[in-house]
Amino acid sequence: MRVTITVNGQRHEADDVWEGESLLYVLRERMGLSGSKNACEQGECGSCTVYLDGVTCCACLVAAGQADGRRVETVESLGSDDALHPVQQAFVDAGAVQCGFCTPGLVMAVDDLLRNDASPTELEIREAISGNLCRCTGYGRVVEAVRVAVRRRRDVVVDR
Ligand code: FES
Ligand code: FES
């Protein structure tokens, strides 16, 4: 089957896609977008989090055919090596990146949180990242990174 997906604003086509192939596989192996990580392939870890038509989901649980004709944003849409997204920068500055395997998924989850809530409570932060497993940080640094991102965004708004 041929699948056509708009990924990060660009139309992509993939041919000979097998019915059981996941969106994650198509993104990583066919489109060369390796930012979304493949850790469990069972919807348990959140490392493959992407936006599908603006809603976050685990790309490993979405069949590629389900994404046909739809819009996907991956972590590559947020920032680049030269210009990190504010949430990515906050993760770096707060020491929330250790092995980094969970980081793309966490960054997507936090971006989604902050798009909808400019000033989340600690409970809301922890709830927002509850679907993202991290084996390294113990989550304290991740929560701090979210606070840093919130503070910086507030400071920018106040300075205007
Ligand atoms: S790889 Fe998709 S949730 Fe773990
Ligand atoms: S930083 Fe290693 S799994 Fe989260």
Side-chain angles (χ1 to χ4, degrees), residues 95-103 106 132-139 142:
V97 183
Q98 291 189 24
C99 82
F101 209 80
C102 66
T103 307
L106 274 165
N132 295 78
L133 300 185
C134 174
R135 294 181 177 182
C136 306
T137 64
Y139 300 97
V142 174

Side-chain angles (χ1 to χ4, degrees), residues 20-24 50 52 57-67 70:
E21 210 166 292
S22 70
L23 172 61
L24 180 61
V50 298
L52 178 61
C57 67
C58 293
C60 70
L61 291 185
V62 177
Q66 288 178 289
R70 299 174 72 181

Side-chain angles (χ1 to χ4, degrees), residues 79-101:
S80 64
D81 288 348
D82 297 332
L84 294 182
H85 182 276
V87 172
Q88 292 172 319
Q89 190 63 57
F91 268 64
V92 172
D93 296 342
V97 183
Q98 291 189 24
C99 82
F101 209 80

